Amino acid sequence: MTLLNDLQNKILIGDGAMGTLLYSHGVDRCFEELNLSKPDEILNVHKAYIAAGADVIQTNTYGANYIKLSRYGLEDEVRAINRTAVQIAKKAAAGNDTYVLGTIGGIRAFKKNAYSLEDIKRNFREQLYLLLSEEVDGLLLETYYDLEEIKTVLEIARKETNIPIITNISLHEIGVLQDGTPLHEGLSQLEALGADVVGLNCRLGPYHMLSSLEEIPLPDKAYLSVYPNSSLPTLEEGRLVYGSGEKYFAESALAFRNQGARLIGGCCGTTPLHIEAMAAALKGLAPVTEKKVKIRKEEISVTAAAERKYPPLQEIVSEKRSLIVELDPPKKLGIDKFLKGAKALQAAGIDALTLADNSLASPRISNVAVGSIVQQTLGLRSLIHITCRDRNLIGLQSHLMGLHTLGLTDVLAITGDPSKIGDFPGATSVYDLSSFDLISLIKQFNDGLSYSGKPLGEKTNFSVAAAFNPNVKYLDKAVKRLEKKIACGADYFISQPIYSEKQLIDVYEETKHLTVPIYIGIMPLTSSRNAEFIHNEIPGIILSDSIRERMAKAGDNREKAYQEGLAIAKRLIDAAFDLFNGIYLITPFLNYELTVELTNYIHKKQTEVNERKITHV
Ligand SMILES: Cc1cc2nc3c(=O)[nH]c(=O)nc-3n(C[C@H](O)[C@H](O)[C@H](O)COP(=O)(O)OP(=O)(O)OC[C@H]3O[C@@H](n4cnc5c(N)ncnc54)[C@H](O)[C@@H]3O)c2cc1C
Ligand SMILES: [Zn+2]
């Protein structure tokens, strides 16, 4: 008999978890390495599943590939670990009519960009070759969150072998894959690429998997498989623990059978006891050949975006002079001085106040809190910076929903300074998303969809700025990043401060082909020490000798330094004026008098230009 012949008219029982079972025995290291150092322990797990009633077991090779083993310094052992794994599983299966599947686990979790398809293909081919050369009875590709990844590796495997291939994907939520593809579409695509068995494993327990299977028809050619976790996990004293509930698991197995599943096993948290209970419940039952598919209730339709309170800055700056000013939330509690500054800048006539997100990776009062106060109480538009450093994918999405709810529709999407440079160098820098990903995510919110493609119920109406750092060795490379950011959906750019007239011209020349506008950064210097700090310690920024000399001459005289800083900034504004409509002033250390004065200067200059135009007419 072969596995596929058996599946034609039988339900086959799979095995349960390997990893979490070993973990519950106290193993807290690379599970696959045990094939070499403790083969008997692995043999005993296989034997326990066979004794429990498993018709199909899987090799202990879930993470036995170059990418995953190299995390343990075991990349040179790929060959030995895979070959031994098959030998151990075959030894356990001998004389038992048990099929041995060679397992290859997915690499990408939700971070699509973490591994290129080329890396994944290379990694997969090596493991595939080893498992095939040991003559497994079938392949089990399991725990794939990324549809693109599993389709890619399935195509490789299908070309290489005729043995049965089982493809199990892991769901994002009921009936939906991570990229928003409905489950039935995902499974059909796998079937079309030649998978013999298609189904689900891991991440979710019986409840979610059953609800998902209820929505999918029986595949035309392939069979259905399901390997749920025993439950959702909880954390107990730092360890992930799954619920037991063998009886519940066995009842669920009956329901899976009614939904057409023919290969039923268990994933994380399951034990030989789960498999035993399930095998007993399914004993003597034939697979179903017909089913009624549950039609999913229509998702709540996505309503159009609410009216924006302010026109998007990219529209304003494309047409005329526009001025935005950064005034960072205070590092200490109390916002009196901050609010005074915001009011003064509003009175001076700016288009938006930009608020950094814990700039230089040091905690400040939340920019959402102060930005919301500014926008709601003063009626001044707040532009909220969002870094990828402080929030994971959950936090970022919640943050965006919160901003939308508060009517804060102007955002700047940035990677963020690394926490290493801030007040808490040991703090985690999350970076679940890159700035490119964050821009795309916000634009996806504007389409009414979350990261996974799940409808948000409403469309957001964010206008998305991206950062431009021209203070780099190769400006052309920085411009390439801008092009990529535009492709992701950036509406306009805001630049780091520029300190030389020549640089302004270079930047203009290198960026004039871009399809979105730029706000050019100008930050007044406050003292010679400030100038020396910026010149010597901020990577990429080079102040000219003459600027440093002018600031040095002012010495410790605060008033003189203030005036010099202003004069230098005005020179830069003069240089930027005809090249760029957008000017972004950065207020140093809450010294808003400086940016108020520069705002007045810009308005005066603009009025003169306008008057001159009128005279010419
Ligand atoms: C207008 C503006 C506002 C900012 N506000 C904040 C803030 O509120 N909070 C905060 O923490 N930080 C802030 N920053 C700093 C910013 O997050 C970091 O400087 C970041 O490294 C550069 O901007 P980004 O996030 O868009 O980087 P990205 O373009 O996403 O670049 C990320 C990383 O890629 C690398 N890189 C980028 N360009 C190049 C290049 N040309 N060549 C080689 N490598 C490159 C760098 O390592 C860089 O850090 C701001 C920067 C700007 C310009
Ligand atoms: Zn699992």
Side-chain angles (χ1 to χ4, degrees):
M1 279 308 259
T2 67
L3 179 62
L4 292 183
N5 282 343
D6 264 353
L7 281 172
Q8 266 177 18
N9 41 36
K10 266 168 83 171
I11 291 179
L12 293 185
I13 307 294
D15 56 0
M18 175 64 80
T20 53
L21 192 67
L22 294 171
Y23 185 68
S24 73
H25 294 171
V27 179
D28 201 0
R29 58 194 170 101
C30 174
F31 300 130
E32 290 80 4
E33 190 278 333
L34 266 63
N35 296 336
L36 304 182
S37 62
K38 292 194 171 179
D40 285 347
E41 184 151 359
I42 304 303
L43 183 70
N44 287 338
V45 173
H46 289 320
K47 282 186 172 170
Y49 280 124
I50 295 170
D55 303 306
V56 183
I57 60 168
Q58 52 179 302
T59 53
N60 181 32
T61 52
Y62 170 73
N65 52 61
Y66 185 93
I67 290 177
K68 287 195 176 166
L69 288 180
S70 60
R71 293 176 193 161
Y72 300 94
L74 291 168
E75 62 276 16
D76 293 338
E77 305 296 336
V78 177
R79 182 188 168 91
I81 288 177
N82 279 282
R83 285 189 182 275
T84 317
V86 183
Q87 289 154 14
I88 298 170
K90 281 194 167 180
K91 190 171 168 186
N96 284 303
D97 282 339
T98 313
Y99 297 108
V100 171
L101 302 179
T103 296
I104 307 182
I107 299 292
R108 288 175 170 173
F110 69 85
K111 274 190 176 176
K112 211 175 171 60
N113 301 334
Y115 295 97
S116 70
L117 283 184
E118 282 317 307
D119 289 344
I120 283 171
K121 285 183 194 170
R122 199 175 317 116
N123 187 65
F124 182 82
R125 279 202 182 96
E126 181 183 23
Q127 203 183 351
L128 175 71
Y129 167 78
L130 292 166
L131 293 173
L132 291 181
S133 64
E134 286 296 321
E135 299 187 352
V136 287
D137 301 315
L139 288 171
L140 174 62
L141 312 185
E142 66 166 1
T143 328
Y144 283 77
Y145 288 91
D146 184 51
L147 186 60
E148 182 185 40
E149 179 184 358
I150 191 165
K151 281 164 57 182
T152 304
V153 297
L154 170 60
E155 278 187 290
I156 295 176
R158 192 66 297 169
K159 267 195 208 139
E160 291 295 323
T161 180
N162 289 325
I163 63 170
I165 303 179
I166 297 137
T167 51
N168 282 345
I169 44 190
S170 300
L171 287 170
H172 174 75
E173 59 184 70
I174 292 174
V176 183
L177 307 194
Q178 189 166 267
D179 64 355
T181 307
L183 175 62
H184 65 88
E185 269 180 35
L187 296 186
S188 303
Q189 290 178 28
L190 295 173
E191 190 184 357
L193 290 173
D196 301 290
V197 182
V198 295
L200 300 171
N201 83 302
C202 206
R203 202 176 97 73
L204 301 169
Y207 167 78
H208 292 90
M209 288 209 181
L210 188 59
S211 308
S212 305
L213 288 188
E214 282 170 356
E215 294 175 356
I216 59 163
L218 294 176
D220 292 334
K221 297 189 294 243
Y223 300 111
L224 269 183
S225 64
V226 58
Y227 282 67
N229 287 352
S230 64
S231 70
L232 299 175
T234 56
L235 259 187
E236 277 178 21
E237 292 174 15
R239 292 173 71 87
L240 272 184
V241 178
Y242 290 83
S244 47
E246 297 89 32
K247 190 163 168 277
Y248 172 71
F249 202 75
E251 285 161 5
S252 307
L254 284 176
F256 288 135
R257 178 247 174 199
N258 293 339
Q259 292 309 319
R262 292 193 184 205
L263 174 59
I264 310 179
C267 205
C268 298
T270 58
T271 65
L273 290 177
H274 292 87
I275 301 304
E276 189 178 14
M278 184 175 88
L282 291 169
K283 201 173 169 62
L285 291 178
V288 298
T289 49
E290 279 179 22
K291 75 179 268 194
K292 213 170 153 212
V293 177
K294 200 168 174 180
I295 306 296
R296 180 177 268 240
K297 280 201 207 96
E298 259 325 289
E299 285 287 355
I300 322 148
S301 61
V302 181
T303 54
E307 244 338 76
R308 286 179 57 91
K309 190 163 180 200
Y310 304 96
L313 285 169
Q314 68 269 22
E315 284 177 16
I316 299 179
V317 73
S318 296
E319 283 168 16
K320 57 178 188 180
R321 175 77 46 213
S322 175
L323 184 53
I324 58 177
V325 180
E326 179 163 327
L327 186 69
D328 287 335
K331 276 182 130 179
K332 292 186 178 166
L333 293 175
I335 59 166
D336 290 353
K337 183 170 179 198
F338 171 87
L339 275 183
K340 235 172 155 177
K343 277 184 201 161
L345 286 162
Q346 181 182 29
I350 60 172
D351 290 321
L353 195 70
T354 94
L355 297 116
D357 187 9
N358 303 323
S359 60
L360 299 176
S362 295
R364 290 169 178 271
I365 299 177
S366 147
N367 60 353
V368 176
V370 286
S372 180
I373 292 173
V374 164
Q375 191 160 300
Q376 289 183 11
T377 61
L378 307 185
L380 173 61
R381 178 204 309 244
S382 292
L383 193 159
I384 308 293
H385 301 196
I386 309 174
T387 69
C388 301
R389 179 196 56 229
D390 299 341
R391 295 167 202 89
N392 65 15
L393 189 55
I394 305 166
L396 277 172
Q397 294 188 80
S398 140
H399 197 57
L400 291 173
M401 288 194 274
L403 289 168
H404 169 77
T405 306
L406 289 168
L408 295 167
T409 50
D410 296 275
V411 293
L412 167 68
I414 41 179
T415 301
D417 296 314
S419 62
K420 245 200 320 241
I421 68 167
D423 290 353
F424 296 94
T428 316
S429 291
V430 181
Y431 302 140
D432 273 357
L433 299 185
S434 67
S435 60
F436 302 117
D437 302 327
L438 179 57
I439 295 165
S440 304
L441 173 66
I442 301 172
K443 281 303 168 90
Q444 196 161 315
F445 265 56
N446 280 358
D447 289 333
L449 302 173
S450 73
Y451 186 79
S452 64
K454 184 180 164 192
L456 289 163
E458 263 177 54
K459 289 185 178 183
T460 58
N461 210 341
F462 290 112
S463 149
V464 187
F468 169 28
N469 183 6
N471 301 311
V472 288
K473 206 165 170 189
Y474 304 108
L475 188 54
D476 56 337
K477 282 198 184 149
V479 173
K480 284 267 167 301
R481 291 183 80 81
L482 301 190
E483 288 165 359
K484 196 168 163 197
K485 288 179 179 180
I486 294 173
C488 292
D491 293 311
Y492 63 104
F493 293 108
I494 308 183
S495 92
Q496 294 276 33
I498 291 182
Y499 287 98
S500 102
E501 293 163 39
K502 175 176 179 311
Q503 197 188 359
L504 279 166
I505 294 166
D506 290 346
V507 165
Y508 170 75
E509 289 298 333
E510 287 287 330
T511 60
K512 63 184 180 196
H513 66 287
L514 296 180
T515 50
V516 307
I518 300 177
Y519 281 88
I520 284 295
I522 291 178
M523 179 161 82
L525 300 166
T526 53
S527 65
S528 176
R529 281 181 71 174
N530 173 236
E532 290 306 310
F533 164 75
I534 290 173
H535 177 73
N536 292 299
E537 296 195 38
I538 301 204
I541 301 190
I542 297 165
L543 302 187
S544 67
D545 290 347
S546 72
I547 286 183
R548 287 166 64 206
E549 272 162 28
R550 280 172 70 177
M551 293 308 292
K553 259 197 196 148
D556 288 338
N557 184 328
R558 278 192 66 181
E559 180 53 28
K560 243 177 132 184
Y562 178 94
Q563 292 305 337
E564 270 307 343
L566 270 178
I568 293 166
K570 285 178 184 171
R571 275 277 299 281
L572 291 168
I573 288 169
D574 292 344
F577 213 73
D578 294 331
L579 302 177
F580 299 94
N581 264 350
I583 298 194
Y584 158 61
L585 299 175
I586 300 142
T587 309
F589 317 110
L590 276 183
N591 283 331
Y592 58 85
E593 297 88 352
L594 276 167
T595 39
V596 166
E597 167 129 11
L598 292 176
T599 301
N600 292 336
Y601 178 76
I602 291 167
H603 284 314
K604 189 159 164 269
K605 206 171 154 67
Q606 187 61 44
T607 311
E608 283 165 13
V609 172
N610 294 347
E611 279 168 1
R612 238 179 289 140
K613 268 193 202 147
I614 293 168
T615 328
H616 281 292
V617 172

